[in-house]
Amino acid sequence: MGSRARARRAAAMLGFLGLLCAVLGAVMIVMVPTLIKQQVLKNVRIDPSSLSFNMWKEIPVPFYLSVYFFDVVNPSAVLLGEKPQVRERGPYVYREFRHKSNITFNDNDTVSFLEYRSFQFQPDRSHGLESDYIVMPNILVLGAAMMMENKPMSLKLIMTLAFSTLGERAFMNRTVGEIMWGYEDPLVHLVNKYLPNMFPFKGKFGLFAELNNSNSGLFTVFTGVKDFSRIHLVDKWNGLSKVKYWHSDQCNMINGTSGQMWAPFMTPETSLEFYSPEACRSMNLVYKESGVFEGIPTYRFVAPSTLFANGSTYPPNEGFCPCLESGIQNISTCRFNAPLFLSHPHFYNADPMLAEAVLGLHPNPEEHSLFLDVHPVTGIPMNCSVKLQLSLYVKAIKGIGQTGKIEPVVLPLMWFEESGAMEGEPLQTFYTQLVLVPSVLHYAQYVLVGLGCVLLLIPIIHQIRSQEKCFLFWSSSKKGSKDKEAIQAYSESLMTSAPKGSVLQEARL
């Protein structure tokens, strides 16, 4: 009886543990999603106590700027009206460093900051040196010529004379370093002297001169501490709620984030919207597919075909016009009125006429499309590659001899890729805190429920087996008593005397 009692107590204890595990698992199924959400919100908001704050302040991801130039092979022939031919040179790779300063938390659940950038040339990653010479359109000369198109002939002749005196030509031969970070040009000094507000820059002129050791403007974004629904969204840029570059309210709106983090808990229906000071507009990327980056689940977002479409193809973009062919955006209104256009590299995803007008262009999605891989639960980018091209619209301007007989063409100047991927210790910390721990909690709830069910079955099985043993014992005991009665009756019959004559009768038989 002692062993049976112990077995019953053990079964009861296992049953209690099973019930406890099942209850805990059920509670976790209800509570874990809320706990994970609270943990994520705590760690992605812009707050000094959050896990991602230092990542937001001093971006640990190594960013690289890769620049490709279009070297004009036949500049003399272009001046005679022939089709331009270009040769892609590069990449010329720069390590990009970013850090935020002047971080100020405001009373309305926003934070204001300036983000500074600097670039360092990486010879080991580059296919060439900054001392390499590139033949490309002279933006100052051809841009100024386009701006004088509708001016009186007398002014055009004066400009032609000024260009000749200063030795300015339609095409220039400059080093990569000069094109990137600036070169002294007598035209700049002349214009700044007599027309001081015409150019937004003083001294040297370079395509990226304004970006090195400078900031992209004062951003004010929502922290998400008090109101999660607006987390990371831009409230103002340089004190503005909308810009004044474009011709419609929709195009002038400052939408989305500052382009570094987005709201968590994304779905395939989510889009990535951000404001780009360099493009002077808000951009919107759309979901393409899910994937995995270094063990972390991601959503890949890409540019829609309508991003740089003209107003005829996509009416909401009408505010960015005047437009040319679809697939390129006129940014002259935010680039000192020079006829500059933004697009995908090699005019990918644009009207085929653009690439056909220039020899040496070969657009393809593998090399020239952009993407962002974002962890959907936190809204933090894991891997990105943003590729854009800058082009100049050129043509002969009557009265300005330097433009010769150039046929109207959108001539690509260069394209660049900004890329970065989380790695090292930041990646490991991110994976542990925001991927591994939530995953363990997620699966633990089902393990507890399963374990509870197993432990609950043990006392049930024990009870069933105990009842079976009792039944068998009772059955065998009852059957044994009947046998004893039969044996006893038989024995008594043997001991009873046989009737007379019965033995003789049997012997005769």
mmCIF file of all heavy atoms in Angstrom, residues 410-448:
data_model
loop_
_atom_site.group_PDB
_atom_site.id
_atom_site.type_symbol
_atom_site.label_atom_id
_atom_site.label_comp_id
_atom_site.label_asym_id
_atom_site.label_seq_id
_atom_site.Cartn_x
_atom_site.Cartn_y
_atom_site.Cartn_z
ATOM 1 N N VAL A 410 19.544 64.748 -72.989
ATOM 2 C CA VAL A 410 19.782 64.668 -71.542
ATOM 3 C C VAL A 410 21.048 63.843 -71.371
ATOM 4 O O VAL A 410 21.046 62.623 -71.554
ATOM 5 C CB VAL A 410 18.594 64.024 -70.811
ATOM 6 C CG1 VAL A 410 18.867 63.973 -69.303
ATOM 7 C CG2 VAL A 410 17.312 64.796 -71.083
ATOM 8 N N LEU A 411 22.132 64.517 -71.032
ATOM 9 C CA LEU A 411 23.456 63.891 -71.002
ATOM 10 C C LEU A 411 23.812 63.518 -69.559
ATOM 11 O O LEU A 411 23.929 64.390 -68.686
ATOM 12 C CB LEU A 411 24.495 64.858 -71.569
ATOM 13 C CG LEU A 411 25.885 64.304 -71.867
ATOM 14 C CD1 LEU A 411 25.821 63.127 -72.828
ATOM 15 C CD2 LEU A 411 26.788 65.405 -72.446
ATOM 16 N N PRO A 412 23.983 62.228 -69.276
ATOM 17 C CA PRO A 412 24.314 61.819 -67.902
ATOM 18 C C PRO A 412 25.701 62.302 -67.487
ATOM 19 O O PRO A 412 26.660 62.212 -68.266
ATOM 20 C CB PRO A 412 24.245 60.293 -67.957
ATOM 21 C CG PRO A 412 24.455 59.938 -69.391
ATOM 22 C CD PRO A 412 23.877 61.062 -70.189
ATOM 23 N N LEU A 413 25.793 62.805 -66.274
ATOM 24 C CA LEU A 413 27.071 63.273 -65.728
ATOM 25 C C LEU A 413 27.726 62.188 -64.881
ATOM 26 O O LEU A 413 28.905 61.869 -65.048
ATOM 27 C CB LEU A 413 26.844 64.518 -64.864
ATOM 28 C CG LEU A 413 26.163 65.709 -65.523
ATOM 29 C CD1 LEU A 413 25.878 66.792 -64.487
ATOM 30 C CD2 LEU A 413 27.021 66.260 -66.656
ATOM 31 N N MET A 414 26.970 61.631 -63.952
ATOM 32 C CA MET A 414 27.483 60.607 -63.044
ATOM 33 C C MET A 414 26.310 59.933 -62.333
ATOM 34 O O MET A 414 25.202 60.451 -62.327
ATOM 35 C CB MET A 414 28.417 61.237 -61.998
ATOM 36 C CG MET A 414 27.885 62.500 -61.340
ATOM 37 S SD MET A 414 26.834 62.230 -59.918
ATOM 38 C CE MET A 414 28.057 61.739 -58.741
ATOM 39 N N TRP A 415 26.577 58.769 -61.763
ATOM 40 C CA TRP A 415 25.605 58.147 -60.880
ATOM 41 C C TRP A 415 26.329 57.648 -59.644
ATOM 42 O O TRP A 415 27.543 57.413 -59.674
ATOM 43 C CB TRP A 415 24.806 57.048 -61.570
ATOM 44 C CG TRP A 415 25.498 55.766 -61.909
ATOM 45 C CD1 TRP A 415 26.163 55.462 -63.056
ATOM 46 C CD2 TRP A 415 25.527 54.566 -61.115
ATOM 47 N NE1 TRP A 415 26.624 54.165 -63.027
ATOM 48 C CE2 TRP A 415 26.241 53.600 -61.842
ATOM 49 C CE3 TRP A 415 25.019 54.212 -59.863
ATOM 50 C CZ2 TRP A 415 26.481 52.310 -61.369
ATOM 51 C CZ3 TRP A 415 25.248 52.933 -59.382
ATOM 52 C CH2 TRP A 415 25.969 51.996 -60.132
ATOM 53 N N PHE A 416 25.595 57.550 -58.560
ATOM 54 C CA PHE A 416 26.224 57.174 -57.297
ATOM 55 C C PHE A 416 25.361 56.187 -56.539
ATOM 56 O O PHE A 416 24.138 56.119 -56.724
ATOM 57 C CB PHE A 416 26.511 58.406 -56.434
ATOM 58 C CG PHE A 416 25.284 59.193 -56.066
ATOM 59 C CD1 PHE A 416 24.568 58.922 -54.911
ATOM 60 C CD2 PHE A 416 24.838 60.212 -56.891
ATOM 61 C CE1 PHE A 416 23.430 59.640 -54.580
ATOM 62 C CE2 PHE A 416 23.700 60.949 -56.569
ATOM 63 C CZ PHE A 416 22.997 60.659 -55.413
ATOM 64 N N GLU A 417 26.019 55.423 -55.680
ATOM 65 C CA GLU A 417 25.342 54.450 -54.825
ATOM 66 C C GLU A 417 25.736 54.702 -53.379
ATOM 67 O O GLU A 417 26.926 54.740 -53.054
ATOM 68 C CB GLU A 417 25.721 53.019 -55.220
ATOM 69 C CG GLU A 417 25.161 51.965 -54.270
ATOM 70 C CD GLU A 417 25.749 50.589 -54.523
ATOM 71 O OE1 GLU A 417 26.789 50.499 -55.186
ATOM 72 O OE2 GLU A 417 25.182 49.610 -54.015
ATOM 73 N N GLU A 418 24.749 54.884 -52.531
ATOM 74 C CA GLU A 418 24.977 54.933 -51.088
ATOM 75 C C GLU A 418 24.552 53.594 -50.512
ATOM 76 O O GLU A 418 23.377 53.216 -50.622
ATOM 77 C CB GLU A 418 24.181 56.064 -50.432
ATOM 78 C CG GLU A 418 24.836 57.426 -50.570
ATOM 79 C CD GLU A 418 24.184 58.475 -49.694
ATOM 80 O OE1 GLU A 418 23.006 58.783 -49.951
ATOM 81 O OE2 GLU A 418 24.830 58.973 -48.761
ATOM 82 N N SER A 419 25.488 52.864 -49.929
ATOM 83 C CA SER A 419 25.190 51.520 -49.446
ATOM 84 C C SER A 419 25.717 51.340 -48.032
ATOM 85 O O SER A 419 26.694 51.959 -47.619
ATOM 86 C CB SER A 419 25.817 50.465 -50.365
ATOM 87 O OG SER A 419 27.224 50.633 -50.424
ATOM 88 N N GLY A 420 25.045 50.473 -47.299
ATOM 89 C CA GLY A 420 25.460 50.162 -45.937
ATOM 90 C C GLY A 420 24.726 48.946 -45.427
ATOM 91 O O GLY A 420 23.584 48.688 -45.817
ATOM 92 N N ALA A 421 25.389 48.183 -44.566
ATOM 93 C CA ALA A 421 24.781 46.985 -43.991
ATOM 94 C C ALA A 421 25.215 46.866 -42.538
ATOM 95 O O ALA A 421 26.387 47.098 -42.210
ATOM 96 C CB ALA A 421 25.184 45.738 -44.774
ATOM 97 N N MET A 422 24.281 46.528 -41.668
ATOM 98 C CA MET A 422 24.602 46.365 -40.250
ATOM 99 C C MET A 422 25.502 45.148 -40.078
ATOM 100 O O MET A 422 25.273 44.102 -40.687
ATOM 101 C CB MET A 422 23.324 46.218 -39.435
ATOM 102 C CG MET A 422 23.554 46.311 -37.938
ATOM 103 S SD MET A 422 22.024 46.238 -36.955
ATOM 104 C CE MET A 422 21.317 47.844 -37.349
ATOM 105 N N GLU A 423 26.513 45.278 -39.227
ATOM 106 C CA GLU A 423 27.457 44.187 -39.034
ATOM 107 C C GLU A 423 28.092 44.295 -37.652
ATOM 108 O O GLU A 423 27.895 45.259 -36.922
ATOM 109 C CB GLU A 423 28.549 44.223 -40.114
ATOM 110 C CG GLU A 423 29.352 45.504 -40.126
ATOM 111 C CD GLU A 423 30.366 45.567 -41.253
ATOM 112 O OE1 GLU A 423 30.099 44.998 -42.326
ATOM 113 O OE2 GLU A 423 31.428 46.188 -41.058
ATOM 114 N N GLY A 424 28.900 43.259 -37.303
ATOM 115 C CA GLY A 424 29.675 43.290 -36.073
ATOM 116 C C GLY A 424 28.832 43.308 -34.805
ATOM 117 O O GLY A 424 27.759 42.717 -34.717
ATOM 118 N N GLU A 425 29.347 44.017 -33.795
ATOM 119 C CA GLU A 425 28.682 44.075 -32.484
ATOM 120 C C GLU A 425 27.281 44.674 -32.542
ATOM 121 O O GLU A 425 26.363 44.156 -31.891
ATOM 122 C CB GLU A 425 29.551 44.861 -31.503
ATOM 123 C CG GLU A 425 29.004 44.864 -30.080
ATOM 124 C CD GLU A 425 29.914 45.590 -29.108
ATOM 125 O OE1 GLU A 425 31.068 45.886 -29.484
ATOM 126 O OE2 GLU A 425 29.467 45.865 -27.975
ATOM 127 N N PRO A 426 27.055 45.773 -33.293
ATOM 128 C CA PRO A 426 25.672 46.297 -33.382
ATOM 129 C C PRO A 426 24.689 45.271 -33.917
ATOM 130 O O PRO A 426 23.560 45.172 -33.436
ATOM 131 C CB PRO A 426 25.817 47.490 -34.334
ATOM 132 C CG PRO A 426 27.243 47.917 -34.202
ATOM 133 C CD PRO A 426 28.008 46.649 -33.997
ATOM 134 N N LEU A 427 25.134 44.488 -34.911
ATOM 135 C CA LEU A 427 24.259 43.454 -35.472
ATOM 136 C C LEU A 427 23.953 42.385 -34.432
ATOM 137 O O LEU A 427 22.808 41.949 -34.290
ATOM 138 C CB LEU A 427 24.923 42.837 -36.703
ATOM 139 C CG LEU A 427 24.161 41.682 -37.367
ATOM 140 C CD1 LEU A 427 22.838 42.159 -37.927
ATOM 141 C CD2 LEU A 427 25.012 41.048 -38.466
ATOM 142 N N GLN A 428 24.981 41.968 -33.673
ATOM 143 C CA GLN A 428 24.781 40.937 -32.662
ATOM 144 C C GLN A 428 23.856 41.417 -31.547
ATOM 145 O O GLN A 428 22.966 40.684 -31.095
ATOM 146 C CB GLN A 428 26.140 40.518 -32.067
ATOM 147 C CG GLN A 428 26.065 39.325 -31.132
ATOM 148 C CD GLN A 428 25.522 38.076 -31.821
ATOM 149 O OE1 GLN A 428 25.895 37.776 -32.949
ATOM 150 N NE2 GLN A 428 24.635 37.353 -31.143
ATOM 151 N N THR A 429 24.052 42.667 -31.114
ATOM 152 C CA THR A 429 23.186 43.230 -30.076
ATOM 153 C C THR A 429 21.750 43.321 -30.561
ATOM 154 O O THR A 429 20.805 42.972 -29.843
ATOM 155 C CB THR A 429 23.690 44.631 -29.666
ATOM 156 O OG1 THR A 429 25.028 44.533 -29.193
ATOM 157 C CG2 THR A 429 22.806 45.227 -28.578
ATOM 158 N N PHE A 430 21.586 43.792 -31.778
ATOM 159 C CA PHE A 430 20.249 43.905 -32.365
ATOM 160 C C PHE A 430 19.587 42.534 -32.444
ATOM 161 O O PHE A 430 18.425 42.376 -32.060
ATOM 162 C CB PHE A 430 20.346 44.531 -33.753
ATOM 163 C CG PHE A 430 19.018 44.710 -34.439
ATOM 164 C CD1 PHE A 430 18.314 45.891 -34.316
ATOM 165 C CD2 PHE A 430 18.458 43.691 -35.193
ATOM 166 C CE1 PHE A 430 17.086 46.060 -34.930
ATOM 167 C CE2 PHE A 430 17.241 43.849 -35.808
ATOM 168 C CZ PHE A 430 16.555 45.035 -35.683
ATOM 169 N N TYR A 431 20.336 41.549 -32.928
ATOM 170 C CA TYR A 431 19.778 40.210 -33.092
ATOM 171 C C TYR A 431 19.354 39.622 -31.744
ATOM 172 O O TYR A 431 18.263 39.052 -31.609
ATOM 173 C CB TYR A 431 20.805 39.296 -33.763
ATOM 174 C CG TYR A 431 20.341 37.870 -33.915
ATOM 175 C CD1 TYR A 431 19.471 37.509 -34.938
ATOM 176 C CD2 TYR A 431 20.758 36.882 -33.019
ATOM 177 C CE1 TYR A 431 19.026 36.200 -35.074
ATOM 178 C CE2 TYR A 431 20.315 35.582 -33.146
ATOM 179 C CZ TYR A 431 19.449 35.246 -34.173
ATOM 180 O OH TYR A 431 19.010 33.949 -34.296
ATOM 181 N N THR A 432 20.205 39.794 -30.722
ATOM 182 C CA THR A 432 19.918 39.217 -29.414
ATOM 183 C C THR A 432 18.710 39.867 -28.761
ATOM 184 O O THR A 432 17.786 39.194 -28.304
ATOM 185 C CB THR A 432 21.135 39.352 -28.486
ATOM 186 O OG1 THR A 432 22.263 38.690 -29.084
ATOM 187 C CG2 THR A 432 20.848 38.727 -27.128
ATOM 188 N N GLN A 433 18.700 41.198 -28.721
ATOM 189 C CA GLN A 433 17.672 41.922 -27.977
ATOM 190 C C GLN A 433 16.332 41.995 -28.706
ATOM 191 O O GLN A 433 15.277 41.917 -28.071
ATOM 192 C CB GLN A 433 18.171 43.355 -27.683
ATOM 193 C CG GLN A 433 19.397 43.402 -26.785
ATOM 194 C CD GLN A 433 19.087 42.948 -25.375
ATOM 195 O OE1 GLN A 433 17.988 43.130 -24.883
ATOM 196 N NE2 GLN A 433 20.063 42.354 -24.707
ATOM 197 N N LEU A 434 16.369 42.164 -30.005
ATOM 198 C CA LEU A 434 15.135 42.446 -30.726
ATOM 199 C C LEU A 434 14.668 41.323 -31.644
ATOM 200 O O LEU A 434 13.598 41.418 -32.239
ATOM 201 C CB LEU A 434 15.307 43.733 -31.550
ATOM 202 C CG LEU A 434 15.540 44.994 -30.704
ATOM 203 C CD1 LEU A 434 15.797 46.189 -31.618
ATOM 204 C CD2 LEU A 434 14.369 45.276 -29.791
ATOM 205 N N VAL A 435 15.457 40.262 -31.762
ATOM 206 C CA VAL A 435 15.041 39.123 -32.589
ATOM 207 C C VAL A 435 15.040 37.828 -31.778
ATOM 208 O O VAL A 435 14.033 37.128 -31.695
ATOM 209 C CB VAL A 435 15.960 38.969 -33.825
ATOM 210 C CG1 VAL A 435 15.539 37.750 -34.645
ATOM 211 C CG2 VAL A 435 15.894 40.215 -34.690
ATOM 212 N N LEU A 436 16.169 37.511 -31.131
ATOM 213 C CA LEU A 436 16.295 36.246 -30.419
ATOM 214 C C LEU A 436 15.376 36.177 -29.204
ATOM 215 O O LEU A 436 14.627 35.204 -29.035
ATOM 216 C CB LEU A 436 17.748 36.038 -29.999
ATOM 217 C CG LEU A 436 18.045 34.705 -29.286
ATOM 218 C CD1 LEU A 436 17.714 33.541 -30.202
ATOM 219 C CD2 LEU A 436 19.506 34.646 -28.847
ATOM 220 N N VAL A 437 15.424 37.192 -28.335
ATOM 221 C CA VAL A 437 14.602 37.187 -27.116
ATOM 222 C C VAL A 437 13.107 37.111 -27.448
ATOM 223 O O VAL A 437 12.384 36.274 -26.889
ATOM 224 C CB VAL A 437 14.916 38.407 -26.232
ATOM 225 C CG1 VAL A 437 13.925 38.508 -25.075
ATOM 226 C CG2 VAL A 437 16.347 38.318 -25.695
ATOM 227 N N PRO A 438 12.577 37.960 -28.352
ATOM 228 C CA PRO A 438 11.158 37.811 -28.705
ATOM 229 C C PRO A 438 10.828 36.442 -29.286
ATOM 230 O O PRO A 438 9.746 35.904 -29.034
ATOM 231 C CB PRO A 438 10.936 38.927 -29.744
ATOM 232 C CG PRO A 438 11.967 39.952 -29.415
ATOM 233 C CD PRO A 438 13.158 39.164 -28.981
ATOM 234 N N SER A 439 11.756 35.864 -30.055
ATOM 235 C CA SER A 439 11.504 34.542 -30.637
ATOM 236 C C SER A 439 11.432 33.479 -29.547
ATOM 237 O O SER A 439 10.579 32.578 -29.581
ATOM 238 C CB SER A 439 12.598 34.188 -31.647
ATOM 239 O OG SER A 439 12.591 35.072 -32.734
ATOM 240 N N VAL A 440 12.350 33.560 -28.560
ATOM 241 C CA VAL A 440 12.336 32.601 -27.447
ATOM 242 C C VAL A 440 11.027 32.701 -26.678
ATOM 243 O O VAL A 440 10.397 31.694 -26.342
ATOM 244 C CB VAL A 440 13.542 32.853 -26.516
ATOM 245 C CG1 VAL A 440 13.391 32.037 -25.239
ATOM 246 C CG2 VAL A 440 14.845 32.498 -27.215
ATOM 247 N N LEU A 441 10.596 33.922 -26.389
ATOM 248 C CA LEU A 441 9.323 34.113 -25.694
ATOM 249 C C LEU A 441 8.154 33.576 -26.509
ATOM 250 O O LEU A 441 7.218 32.980 -25.969
ATOM 251 C CB LEU A 441 9.111 35.600 -25.398
ATOM 252 C CG LEU A 441 10.029 36.221 -24.335
ATOM 253 C CD1 LEU A 441 9.796 37.724 -24.260
ATOM 254 C CD2 LEU A 441 9.796 35.578 -22.976
ATOM 255 N N HIS A 442 8.229 33.777 -27.811
ATOM 256 C CA HIS A 442 7.140 33.325 -28.686
ATOM 257 C C HIS A 442 7.001 31.809 -28.643
ATOM 258 O O HIS A 442 5.888 31.268 -28.521
ATOM 259 C CB HIS A 442 7.407 33.793 -30.117
ATOM 260 C CG HIS A 442 6.408 33.293 -31.112
ATOM 261 N ND1 HIS A 442 5.129 33.807 -31.205
ATOM 262 C CD2 HIS A 442 6.487 32.306 -32.047
ATOM 263 C CE1 HIS A 442 4.469 33.165 -32.148
ATOM 264 N NE2 HIS A 442 5.272 32.254 -32.680
ATOM 265 N N TYR A 443 8.139 31.089 -28.736
ATOM 266 C CA TYR A 443 8.075 29.631 -28.759
ATOM 267 C C TYR A 443 7.897 29.041 -27.360
ATOM 268 O O TYR A 443 7.339 27.954 -27.205
ATOM 269 C CB TYR A 443 9.330 29.057 -29.413
ATOM 270 C CG TYR A 443 9.385 29.304 -30.905
ATOM 271 C CD1 TYR A 443 10.314 30.186 -31.454
ATOM 272 C CD2 TYR A 443 8.493 28.664 -31.763
ATOM 273 C CE1 TYR A 443 10.350 30.433 -32.818
ATOM 274 C CE2 TYR A 443 8.522 28.896 -33.126
ATOM 275 C CZ TYR A 443 9.456 29.780 -33.651
ATOM 276 O OH TYR A 443 9.490 30.025 -35.000
ATOM 277 N N ALA A 444 8.370 29.758 -26.330
ATOM 278 C CA ALA A 444 8.269 29.252 -24.959
ATOM 279 C C ALA A 444 6.810 29.050 -24.556
ATOM 280 O O ALA A 444 6.478 28.101 -23.820
ATOM 281 C CB ALA A 444 8.957 30.206 -23.988
ATOM 282 N N GLN A 445 5.937 29.921 -25.026
ATOM 283 C CA GLN A 445 4.532 29.813 -24.636
ATOM 284 C C GLN A 445 3.922 28.498 -25.129
ATOM 285 O O GLN A 445 3.154 27.835 -24.404
ATOM 286 C CB GLN A 445 3.743 31.001 -25.175
ATOM 287 C CG GLN A 445 3.828 31.183 -26.680
ATOM 288 C CD GLN A 445 3.258 32.516 -27.146
ATOM 289 O OE1 GLN A 445 2.760 33.292 -26.358
ATOM 290 N NE2 GLN A 445 3.338 32.767 -28.437
ATOM 291 N N TYR A 446 4.284 28.083 -26.331
ATOM 292 C CA TYR A 446 3.743 26.836 -26.871
ATOM 293 C C TYR A 446 4.418 25.615 -26.246
ATOM 294 O O TYR A 446 3.786 24.570 -26.069
ATOM 295 C CB TYR A 446 3.890 26.816 -28.387
ATOM 296 C CG TYR A 446 3.145 27.946 -29.065
ATOM 297 C CD1 TYR A 446 3.815 29.036 -29.608
ATOM 298 C CD2 TYR A 446 1.755 27.940 -29.120
ATOM 299 C CE1 TYR A 446 3.134 30.084 -30.212
ATOM 300 C CE2 TYR A 446 1.055 28.972 -29.718
ATOM 301 C CZ TYR A 446 1.749 30.048 -30.258
ATOM 302 O OH TYR A 446 1.067 31.088 -30.836
ATOM 303 N N VAL A 447 5.698 25.751 -25.901
ATOM 304 C CA VAL A 447 6.393 24.663 -25.211
ATOM 305 C C VAL A 447 5.747 24.405 -23.857
ATOM 306 O O VAL A 447 5.530 23.255 -23.453
ATOM 307 C CB VAL A 447 7.890 25.004 -25.046
ATOM 308 C CG1 VAL A 447 8.571 23.979 -24.134
ATOM 309 C CG2 VAL A 447 8.582 25.022 -26.398
ATOM 310 N N LEU A 448 5.434 25.492 -23.128
ATOM 311 C CA LEU A 448 4.793 25.343 -21.819
ATOM 312 C C LEU A 448 3.419 24.697 -21.943
ATOM 313 O O LEU A 448 3.056 23.829 -21.135
ATOM 314 C CB LEU A 448 4.679 26.704 -21.136
ATOM 315 C CG LEU A 448 5.965 27.258 -20.521
ATOM 316 C CD1 LEU A 448 5.744 28.679 -20.022
ATOM 317 C CD2 LEU A 448 6.444 26.365 -19.384
#
